[in-house]
Amino acid sequence: MMAASLLRRDKRSTAAHLKADLQRADNSSGLRQLRELLDAVLDPERGSDPDPEGLDWCKWLLAGGDAFDEFCRTVRSYDNATLCGLVWTANFVAYRCRTCGISPCMSLCAECFNNSDHTGHDFNMFRSQAGGACDCGDGNVMKESGFCSRHRLKTGENVPSVPWDLLLMSEMVLPRFIITIIQYLRDGYTEPESAADRDLQKVLQQLEPHISFLEELTKMGGAMRTVLTKILTNQQTFKELSMGQEENVYAKRNYEKYLSALKSSGLVSVEEKGAGGAGAGTATDTSAGALSLLGATAAASLEDSSKEEDQDGLQGVGQRKRVKLSSSTKDPSIMDTLKHKCFLEELLFWTIKYEFPQKMVTFLLNMLPDQDYKITFTKTFVQHYAFIMKTLMKSHESDTMSNRIVHISVQLFSNEELARHVTEECHLLDIMVTVLLYMMESCLIKSELQDEENNRHVVVNCGEALLKNNTYWPLVSDFINILSHQSVAKRFLEDRSLLLLWMSFVSYFQGMNLNKRELNEHVEFESQTYYAAFAAELEACAQPMWGLLTHCKVKETQEYTKTVVRYCLETLQMWFDAIGFVDEPSLNQLTFHLPLHRYYAMFLSKGVKCQGLDLDSLLPDQEMLMKIMVHPLQIQASLSEIHSNMWVRNGLQIKGQAMTYVQSHFCNSMIDPDIYLLQVCASRLDPDYFISSVFERFKVVDLLTMASQHQNAVLDSEQERPMLEGALTFLVILSSLRIHLGMSDDEILRAEMVSQLCMNDRTHSSLLDLIPENPNPKSGVVPGSCSFEEMLSAVADFKAPVFEPGGSMQQGMYTPKAEVWEKEFDPIMVILRTVYRRDVQSAMDRYTAFLKQSGVNTGNPWPPYKERTPLHPCYRGLARLLHCKTLHIVIFTLLYKIWMDHQNMSEHVLCMVLYLIELGLDNQVQDDKVEEEPCIEEHCHDSWFPGTSLLSNLHHVINFVRVRVPETAPEVERKRERERERETPPSTSSESAAFGQSSRRLTGNWRENLREAQVFSLVAERRRKFQEIINRSNHEASQAVRPKSSSSRWLPPGSPPQLVTEILEIRESMLSLLVKLHQKLSAKQNSLSLSWLAEVDPAHHAHGDGLTAIERILAKAATRSRHSKRCLQDICGKVCPPVPPKKNSPGDKKSMDKEERRQRARERQQKLLAEFASRQKSFMETAMDVGELEYELMLFADLYDLL
């Protein structure tokens, strides 16, 4: 009745009357009148749509009889806020200053940026992707020196206190206004399964004026925000209004809808949780049990996964051991219970349920300048974190929802003090890791890597919407954000249970998106899942890794690194066991995703470089190192396979993966750690084993023979050359790259910048984008580092913009300085950073143009050799790669094949071989000992060279080499020609006896040559079974050299020819081959004279072609070894001048006819001799016992090889 009379009166006078009543000492009458009036104007039962009249009444009531606009101006005059807090949405233009920022997420509105001094700072203007808020005035996010003139002052100290009656009506009216909004949200929400026409947007549109009114209130300043904070966080008021009075049937029914919404979300209320007791299992245990690798056993089968199902219906994979989280004091109900005790908590609940409507998000963020609200809201957000994840996974608009989640969370977690507070009090780290595990557990599949049938490892399915749509992004972004705070990261690194959980999370990405090489038909459909796979590894694995590494830079944090390394090794071992790996990778399988390897590699690097840890103390045993190197090495070999078109049937997407792997945004998190890990393995493993493994993985073992022909069981002829080039280039990169082996951050930044500028001139923005961010920050915020701008001005000249005739403008570009081309151009770094192969050629063309322009070289120069920075003492073992016999045998073989013009040899092969030789000469191993070893047939491998020093082995002469060749090879044809050319002696008994004596004498020489002839088997070397392999080779040779005519095997048409053993007479050293290659390239037989040796100076050969490269190597060998210099003098002194061709005269023609008749006579005699030998052999085989005699017959039959 009273409400009706009030409603008939004027709103202004009614509001003034009620305010006057409420100001009295006895205000019970005024309270009763106000309650009845609000019941009337804010009654949700009156209709489904909120009444605009009720909103108008609220404005008049808040103003207490004054005009609402005048009331707003009055309240703003008492604004005591010291923070800006301006909230913006997507596509808003804002600023970020890296110089002033404490948090990487810091941002400023245009007004605050322009009113502050950022002269000379590293700042940028950007278009916001997800929205944000201005941080000006917040000393926890940015330095005070970057505050604008308005927020730099402590304005709150000069603002008068708020009159007690100004906001009196606000304190009375707003609680009823807020509960009305909540009641409309309760009524309007329906679950998908209960209503086919679910339309949340309609409800939100109806409530938009009311939410906009709340947003307008927040803009009145700190005084009004303080009132709102008290209302939103008042538990008693919420309890009274949320459930309603006993007689209020609508309020009771409305509250039941709220409880129903909780249940449908997989959650229970506090009351129900208490009634249920301990019977319900906690989601914490379930999610922590997501460890498929760290339990006692891995998943047994996918069928068992249906036995375990979480409250959201998401299936886990396999039976997993339950592992409790670290904090025993953590509230176990945090994952499945929501304790809504105030308006703010239920408002956030409905904000999540309605998938973060923009108006509601803006209102919640506008309140953040109030510190009490910010703390409470952050705790509330953490409390709802698991619920946010579940809602996000079900959303059909996950992109929009993700942006709005990050819009909120980035404002909360960028403050280190606040992040540390909720980490300690609300167990934020535990919740985040658990939620991420829960999320990824919903899309796990059985891995098919290695042992497909018995594989017990599970990986994420990159075809799932969760990964394809980057649904995990907001949660990972939050995790990265809080790890940027040292106090939070320290807590994470100290919590070993959390580290174990995180290793389990990372293991879900280990081996994902497996590629299987198509051998028969082209794939019908090219999967694009690799986009999701690369994005997932970069964002979910690599970025948190870099965040942790920033806090492991000093000796005081050594224990953190040791702990992470230990858990990486344990998880890797479990992964090897789960996939059934022993020592060989499966054929035709490729995954680019090895985050566990890369975690281990980067923490190793940081521990050695920054914390002074001993590398050996962080390494496993030799067997584990051999396992660790296999899969990164397989990726390097597969890159060459892809570029050799061996994966062409898999479509273009496989090339896309290879290019993404080395692309600037991914390279520092993928290929660089892989190369570094292989460098570590190479520095500690047996170098012969490592080199042999490389050539076996690149499938070029069969090519590394001195025979002119060979059979390759795995590669086509056209694939051999690019694969050989790939193997040699990889060895050069492995031996020369210093990114993690001794270079400082400034040196790395300079090398990256030079390599990009050498490929092409760059604009400032494109160059900034092409330089990897980690571990080379592009700004000067890291103490002691050289800023990007300083480095750029040191290596490049700026070409000003040019206006073209058509009116368009060509952008200003940076081009390398002349001294950069002359001294710093590194073709190896260019190859490493090249996404498109044409960029390497572009760099060489630009280099050639510079040399011609400067007059240094006018020909076609080869890639210049660049001397490397010294290795860190821990990695000096890497130089042993260049000083092992296996590599020297490969180098000798390739030099010989190039000199002999064998097939599949190229200029690039020679360039890389020479590069390896020069690297070996520049990186001598100090403990090399040249020991003359006896040439024993059982150790034929060791008899190639006397020691491991490259400088000593350069002048060692190889006389004979035993090779296996097809029957159609030129070596076999030449032997047959020699047999035909032999002169047959008269057939008399005495001459027959003389022939027998000659046979015995030549047989002895053959045995000596056989003993001296070198045998080389890369596979045997890698497997360390020299004795067994050589014995088997000898047995096969004895069977294949002279097969018995009676048991010759029939071969079907088209079969590869049989292999036979031949002995090649070489009598060359690496030095002599280099000299002969110099002669060949120069087309001059006496291209190197003795006078050249006397004037040799390696410094004069910095730029040039292949001749220059050979001369530089010979000069270094001569200046560093007297023995090598003497050998070079002998080799050059023996060179004969070219003999001019003779002109044939008529007399010469007659003599040639006589010679032809003599040749035919020799051929007839040879046939008789061959028939005699065949009969003798047949007689002895049938008349004498086989055994020792069979070996003698084999020697006798091969007598012709030496005649």
Side-chain angles (χ1 to χ4, degrees), residues 769-783:
D769 186 58
L770 288 168
I771 302 298
E773 180 71 30
N774 290 305
N776 316 307
K778 299 171 188 174
S779 65
V781 297
V782 177

Side-chain angles (χ1 to χ4, degrees), residues 701-702 937-941 944 962-965 1006 1010 1013-1021 1025-1042 1059-1063 1191 1194:
V701 173
D702 294 332
E937 185 176 353
E938 286 73 21
H939 295 82
C940 286
H941 166 74
W944 277 79
R962 186 169 31 169
V963 296
R964 299 274 287 164
V965 295
W1006 189 91
L1010 178 65
Q1014 311 301 332
V1015 174
F1016 178 49
S1017 171
L1018 276 169
V1019 179
E1021 175 60 28
K1025 296 181 180 179
F1026 305 116
Q1027 186 68 47
E1028 179 180 336
I1029 294 294
I1030 292 168
N1031 289 343
R1032 184 166 66 248
S1033 298
N1034 288 339
H1035 178 69
E1036 292 171 354
S1038 67
Q1039 299 297 320
V1041 170
R1042 287 294 177 189
L1059 296 179
V1060 296
T1061 300
E1062 292 296 332
I1063 297 178
Y1191 181 70
M1194 184 267 294

Side-chain angles (χ1 to χ4, degrees), residues 701-712:
V701 173
D702 294 332
L703 178 60
L704 299 175
T705 173
M706 303 189 76
S708 59
Q709 292 184 5
H710 62 278
Q711 294 177 4
N712 197 322

Side-chain angles (χ1 to χ4, degrees), residues 431-497:
I431 292 172
M432 279 189 169
V433 176
T434 303
V435 166
L436 282 169
L437 278 166
Y438 245 127
M439 179 174 277
M440 292 304 167
E441 201 175 27
S442 67
C443 60
L444 295 180
I445 57 174
K446 184 179 177 182
S447 173
E448 296 181 349
L449 182 65
Q450 202 68 25
D451 188 349
E452 186 171 339
E453 294 183 359
N454 301 316
N455 196 314
R456 296 176 288 115
H457 180 53
V458 287
V459 293
V460 292
N461 180 7
C462 298
E464 290 279 351
L466 179 71
L467 273 82
K468 288 171 66 177
N469 300 332
N470 289 67
T471 308
Y472 57 85
W473 168 67
L475 308 185
V476 170
S477 175
D478 291 345
F479 188 60
I480 296 168
N481 196 0
I482 65 168
L483 287 181
S484 67
H485 306 311
Q486 185 172 5
S487 57
V488 179
K490 179 181 177 182
R491 189 177 183 88
F492 179 81
L493 291 166
E494 288 173 347
D495 193 327
R496 302 193 174 186
S497 297

Side-chain angles (χ1 to χ4, degrees), residues 1167-1183:
K1167 287 181 182 179
L1168 292 173
L1169 180 60
E1171 184 179 356
F1172 168 76
S1174 176
R1175 290 179 180 177
Q1176 185 179 24
K1177 179 180 177 183
S1178 176
F1179 171 77
M1180 295 183 71
E1181 284 178 351
T1182 56

Side-chain angles (χ1 to χ4, degrees), residues 190 260 426 667 671 689 805 861 923 942 1004 1044 1075:
T190 52
S260 175
C426 305
C667 62
I671 187 173
Y689 171 87
N923 295 272
D942 290 337
K1044 299 177 183 179
V1075 171

Side-chain angles (χ1 to χ4, degrees), residues 731-746:
L731 284 177
V732 170
I733 291 174
L734 197 75
S735 303
S736 58
L737 197 64
R738 297 288 187 269
I739 289 179
H740 293 289
L741 302 188
M743 292 177 71
S744 65
D745 287 345
D746 288 346

